[in-house]
Amino acid sequence: MSGRARLMWDEAVTGYDFGPQHPMDPVRLALTRSLVGALGVDRELEVVAARAAGESTLRLVHREDYIDAVKAASADPASAQGEYGLGTLDDPAFAGMHEVSALIAGQSVGAAEAVWRGEALHAVNFAGGLHHAMPGAASGFCVYNDAALAIARLLELGAERVAYVDVDVHHGDGVQAAFWEDPRVLTVSLHEHPRTLFPQTGWPEETGADRAEGSAVNVALPAGTGDAGWVRAFHAVVPELLADFRPEVLVTQHGADTHFEDPLAHLAVSLDAQRAVQVACHDLAHEYADGRWVALGGGGYAVVDVVPRSWTHLVAIAAGRPVAPETVIPESWRQEVYARTRQPGPQRMTDGRWPVSWADWEAGYDPADRLDQAVLAARRAAFPLRGLLA
C-alpha cells in the first residue's frame, strides 16, 4: 500500500455558493487551499481532482426523484420553491448546483476509492463533509451527502466494516439516516445537544434500527463545552468503539464550527483542541484500520480566522507533516485574506491553547457534571448493545 496521502481538490468546488448573504461562504475553501500551499503542505502529498459523481453513484444514497429535482433547480433556480428542501433559506437554489454538488461528492468518493485500493493511505476532501443531506432532500446547507456516498462506495467495493466519526458541532443526521439499518457501518457523532441546535436530532437513544442496534452512537454535548470537555468526551467514547468494531476504513468529518468564534453554534472549542482530535483520528486509523483514513471537512462559518487554519492542520496531519501550532502564517497569505475579504488574517496556527489537557475517562467521572452526564448517556444507550460495558 502506498504511504502517500492525497488531497482531493478541484478549484471548481468553490462554485458551491448559496449567495453573498449565506453563511457558507466558499472563500473558506479557497483560503484553506491557499494556506495549504503557503505553508508548503501540498509538497508532501498528491493533489488530485476526481471526476464528479455520476448518477449511478449518487443513487447509492439519493433517490432518483430527488436527483432529478436537484437537476431541475440547478437549470432553473427560480423554479425551486421549497420542495425537496430546495429553494429554502438554508438551501437556496443556484445555477449549476447539481454539477458542483456532484463534483464535491466525486472528490469524497474518489478519496474512498484511493484509500480502499491502496493508492493512498490517507485522503482528504475538506470541501466535503456535507452530512445533513438526506436520501430525498437537501438540508442544512447540504445538497448531496458526499460522506454517505463515500461510505456507500466503500461497501460497494467490498468493505464489510466502515466506521464514521463526526465531530462537527451539528449532528451527522444524514449519514446516520443513510446507514440506520446497516450493521456494516458504525456512525459516531459528537455534537451540541439537540435541545439547543439544528437539526434537533442526535439524542443518545438513537442507536440504530432493530437489525443494526448499537450501530449509531450519539454524544450530545451541553452548550458551552470547551476544550477539556470536548476532547475528554471524544476519548471516552470513540477509541473503545473502534477497538471493538475494527473498521477496515475510518471516515471522519471535521466541521470547524465547534470553535468558540463560530457564529452559528454554542460550543467553546479552540483550534488547538480541533487539532488534537484530528491527530487522535489519524492515530486511531493506524491503530484499528491499518491506517486507512478518509478525512472530510464540514461546517465552519468563521471563514477567515478558523476554517482555513483548522483544515490546513488536518491536511498536514494526513500528509504526515503536522504543522506546529506556533508556526507563523506567511504574510503573503494574510495579504490574500485582506484582498479577498477586507479582514485581517490570523498570525499563527494556534489559539494559544496548545497543548490541550483533559482528564481521562478511565480515571473516573463525576455524575453531577453535565459533560460527564452526556458521555454517560451515550455509553449507557449504545455500549451494551455492542456487548461493551457502559
Side-chain angles (χ1 to χ4, degrees):
M1 177 181 290
S2 168
R4 196 144 171 82
R6 279 194 183 177
L7 171 61
M8 311 303 297
W9 176 255
D10 185 319
E11 187 92 23
V13 299
T14 60
Y16 192 81
D17 188 352
F18 290 114
Q21 306 306 315
H22 197 280
M24 189 178 256
D25 188 337
V27 75
R28 69 197 193 124
L29 303 179
L31 289 176
T32 300
R33 178 64 186 93
S34 62
L35 184 56
V36 166
L39 291 172
V41 175
D42 53 358
R43 294 195 296 268
E44 307 295 336
L45 39 66
E46 296 176 288
V47 180
V48 177
R51 292 179 298 180
E55 191 157 334
S56 62
T57 298
L58 294 173
R59 286 202 304 265
L60 292 174
V61 168
H62 294 290
R63 295 199 322 246
E64 189 170 2
D65 60 320
Y66 172 61
I67 298 168
D68 289 342
V70 174
K71 288 180 176 178
S74 183
D76 180 13
S79 69
Q81 300 293 323
E83 192 176 6
Y84 294 99
L86 300 167
T88 63
L89 284 176
D90 273 3
D91 296 277
F94 60 92
M97 179 174 63
H98 164 75
E99 289 78 10
V100 71
S101 299
L103 182 64
I104 290 173
Q107 305 315 304
S108 292
V109 170
E113 290 173 343
V115 167
W116 182 254
R117 291 170 175 160
E119 296 163 5
L121 193 57
H122 308 146
V124 182
N125 176 26
F126 58 74
L130 304 178
H131 60 171
H132 295 308
M134 292 292 175
S139 177
F141 313 164
C142 305
V143 177
Y144 292 140
N145 196 319
D146 64 284
L149 287 163
I151 295 167
R153 180 62 174 141
L154 287 167
L155 298 177
E156 186 178 52
L157 290 171
E160 296 179 353
R161 295 180 312 283
V162 180
Y164 172 76
V165 176
D166 188 318
V167 296
D168 193 288
V169 78
H170 302 92
H171 176 227
D173 57 339
V175 183
Q176 176 180 287
F179 303 105
W180 185 250
E181 299 179 351
D182 195 334
R184 297 175 298 173
V185 181
L186 172 68
T187 63
V188 186
S189 179
L190 287 82
H191 47 266
E192 185 179 328
H193 201 286
R195 273 196 295 263
T196 54
L197 195 66
F198 175 90
Q200 283 79 52
T201 58
W203 298 79
E205 295 77 17
E206 297 172 30
T207 55
D210 288 347
R211 65 183 297 268
E213 280 194 332
S215 65
V217 183
N218 287 289
V219 187
L221 302 167
T225 296
D227 287 3
W230 190 66
V231 179
R232 171 175 167 80
F234 178 92
H235 284 282
V237 173
V238 176
E240 196 169 343
L241 288 168
L242 296 185
D244 169 68
F245 188 64
R246 296 281 168 172
E248 292 165 287
V249 183
L250 176 62
V251 180
T252 57
Q253 195 269 21
H254 297 270
D257 43 9
T258 51
H259 196 272
F260 56 76
E261 287 186 21
D262 199 273
L264 299 189
H266 318 98
L267 296 191
V269 172
S270 74
L271 181 77
D272 299 294
Q274 291 177 347
R275 182 184 186 277
V277 164
Q278 293 165 2
V279 170
C281 288
H282 168 271
D283 293 349
L284 289 167
H286 280 274
E287 190 165 358
Y288 300 119
D290 291 328
R292 297 188 192 94
W293 182 32
V294 176
L296 309 173
Y301 310 100
V303 299
V304 170
D305 280 352
V306 178
V307 175
R309 292 188 296 161
S310 185
W311 291 348
T312 296
H313 276 305
L314 178 66
V315 173
I317 290 161
R321 297 290 188 273
V323 173
E326 64 272 14
T327 299
V328 174
I329 292 173
E331 180 62 26
S332 60
W333 184 80
R334 299 182 71 245
Q335 289 174 356
E336 180 183 348
V337 168
Y338 189 77
R340 285 179 176 270
T341 69
R342 291 297 183 262
Q343 297 180 45
Q347 297 191 16
R348 294 182 183 271
M349 293 294 289
T350 179
D351 285 334
R353 298 187 181 182
W354 188 268
V356 177
S357 60
W358 48 277
D360 191 273
W361 186 257
E362 296 301 318
Y365 58 84
D366 179 358
D369 180 83
R370 290 175 66 221
L371 185 281
D372 285 3
Q373 288 170 1
V375 172
L376 279 170
R379 290 178 63 100
R380 287 172 175 166
F383 276 41
L385 299 174
R386 304 202 62 83
L388 300 172
L389 295 175

